[in-house]
Amino acid sequence: MRVHELDPDVPGARFLVDRLWPRGVARDALALDGWLRDAAPSDELRRWFGHDPARWAEFRRRYVAELEASPESWAPLRAAAAEGDVVLLYAARDREHNNAVVLRDHLEGRLNR
């Protein structure tokens, strides 16, 4: 499973995993298999985190708790991963501290069980 910034050329089943549509990106510019808003962190958690690396560990803990509480929100990713490559797309500038990284790690852990 791969995590990428918004990149129209990455192959695989492509899912946008941000709650908000990326600014400045036309809806037809991304060839998506799905936009999983509900698999993204809640608005409250997203605002609290604010992409502050100092809050990263706590953000991960809280976001995983949200994912565990609503497995139906990320079920399409699990199904797509059973069929082949999955690409999680996100708009955050920080490649290491964003929700797609947490979601990828969570899914990989669940798929390897």
Side-chain angles (χ1 to χ4, degrees), residues 2 12 17 27-28 30 35-36 50 60 62 66 82 96 101-102 107:
R2 294 172 289 172
V17 293
R27 297 219 181 223
D28 60 353
L30 294 176
W35 177 17
L36 301 180
R60 286 183 68 94
R62 291 183 188 186
E66 287 184 358
E96 296 176 30
V101 171
V102 178
L107 288 168

Side-chain angles (χ1 to χ4, degrees), residues 58-80:
E58 181 62 14
F59 170 77
R60 286 183 68 94
R61 188 192 68 72
R62 291 183 188 186
Y63 182 33
V64 166
E66 287 184 358
L67 291 169
E68 286 294 315
S70 61
E72 69 283 353
S73 69
W74 46 272
L77 297 173
R78 188 176 207 165

